[in-house]
Amino acid sequence: MRPRRIRKKNHPGQNLDSFLDILTNTVGVLMFIGLFVSLLAAEAGTIIRTPLRSQTNKQPLFFEVRNNKIFSLNDPKLDSEINQVLATLPNCKTPDIPKDIPSYLYSFYLQEIQDYEQCIKTRNIKLDNFYYDNGDYLVSFTEDGALKYEANSSSQGEDSKQLKMTNSNFINTLKQLNPDVNYIAFIVRPDSFETFRVAREKAWSIGYEVGWEPFAQDKILVFGSGGRSVGVQ
């Protein structure tokens, strides 16, 4: 009599593919978070942090500090010339074009669009033709209507030693103005903190509130159409 074979029951194996997918995704997310935190830590030492700002109703007087010298960005004649140009610019009203235009109004709206484009073209030509040189800066308009200040190679400025002299132009300018009406806003290049600190101390000693903003060394100074904001600190 032959012995009976004992059949082994084959239990279905568990599919681990889904678990492995979840594990892989989790490890990937953790690696991304670790890399992100590492980048933040690496950049933390290169960020220049400015003091907290406070609200003020005073008007700013801007000065740029570059090449360890200070330059005034305040020029009443330039302001007058800019105002004259802006007063002559045409008012280009954006046409209100409906989504569905009846066929009998097509030519009307087409003319409105063409008039608007011509208005913008005339406006841009006037801005492109504006050019002002006050010795320290070559000032012109950008394509979006902002003011661009390019440093003049012949500009002089004042260094930290000259700021300590009684005949300093910077000191004389501040004395002619009113610290109850204005505050001093410094735009500081990375190579110019020595002169900035001296100028700030001088402004404080006359009674001015002071604000400052770090600015990239080779970046061209541009004031947007809405102006520039450097708060009191």
Side-chain angles (χ1 to χ4, degrees):
M1 184 176 182
R2 292 191 308 174
R4 293 178 61 186
R5 292 183 180 179
I6 300 175
R7 295 184 179 181
K8 295 182 179 180
K9 294 183 179 179
N10 295 323
H11 297 284
Q14 187 176 3
N15 191 340
L16 299 178
D17 290 347
S18 298
F19 174 75
L20 291 176
D21 288 342
I22 295 173
L23 182 62
T24 302
N25 292 336
T26 303
V27 172
V29 171
L30 291 175
M31 291 179 62
F32 175 79
I33 293 174
L35 178 61
F36 181 71
V37 171
S38 300
L39 290 174
L40 288 180
E43 292 181 359
T46 64
I47 297 174
I48 301 175
R49 300 189 181 277
T50 60
L52 295 176
R53 298 184 179 185
S54 59
Q55 295 296 326
T56 181
N57 293 322
K58 297 180 181 180
Q59 297 299 312
L61 295 171
F62 286 96
F63 293 87
E64 182 189 9
V65 195
R66 71 173 188 276
N67 300 329
N68 252 326
K69 293 184 177 182
I70 190 167
F71 302 86
S72 175
L73 291 163
N74 312 286
D75 189 335
K77 186 178 178 181
L78 170 60
D79 294 338
S80 177
E81 299 239 354
I82 291 174
N83 289 334
Q84 290 180 17
V85 171
L86 296 180
T88 62
L89 293 179
N91 183 18
C92 303
K93 184 179 179 181
T94 306
D96 186 13
I97 308 298
K99 293 182 178 179
D100 299 321
I101 303 176
S103 57
Y104 63 90
L105 289 177
Y106 178 81
S107 58
F108 170 78
Y109 284 113
L110 178 61
Q111 185 62 48
E112 279 205 343
I113 294 173
Q114 292 173 345
D115 292 343
Y116 174 74
E117 291 176 345
Q118 182 60 43
C119 181
I120 293 296
K121 183 177 179 180
T122 303
R123 186 185 184 96
N124 290 341
I125 290 175
K126 285 182 174 289
L127 294 178
D128 289 342
N129 290 335
F130 179 82
Y131 182 82
Y132 183 85
D133 184 355
N134 64 359
D136 288 333
Y137 295 95
L138 306 175
V139 185
S140 59
F141 282 100
T142 64
E143 292 182 357
D144 58 357
L147 277 175
K148 178 173 63 175
Y149 285 72
E150 296 182 90
N152 197 323
S153 58
S154 62
S155 58
Q156 298 296 320
E158 290 184 320
D159 58 25
S160 57
K161 293 182 180 179
Q162 292 171 309
L163 289 174
K164 297 176 182 178
M165 297 180 180
T166 56
N167 62 345
S168 164
N169 291 329
F170 173 72
I171 302 301
N172 290 333
T173 297
L174 297 193
K175 288 182 177 180
Q176 294 173 7
L177 300 169
N178 189 350
D180 294 329
V181 177
N182 302 107
Y183 72 92
I184 309 303
F186 293 103
I187 299 172
V188 186
R189 306 281 184 171
D191 66 350
S192 303
F193 279 90
E194 177 188 352
T195 298
F196 159 65
R197 293 188 185 98
V198 175
R200 181 175 59 178
E201 289 293 334
K202 292 294 183 181
W204 278 340
S205 68
I206 300 175
Y208 282 95
E209 293 179 318
V210 171
W212 69 280
E213 178 181 311
F215 203 73
Q217 186 65 39
D218 299 322
K219 189 176 180 180
I220 295 178
L221 190 58
V222 176
F223 284 76
S225 56
R228 189 179 187 88
S229 175
V230 177
V232 171
Q233 297 153 352

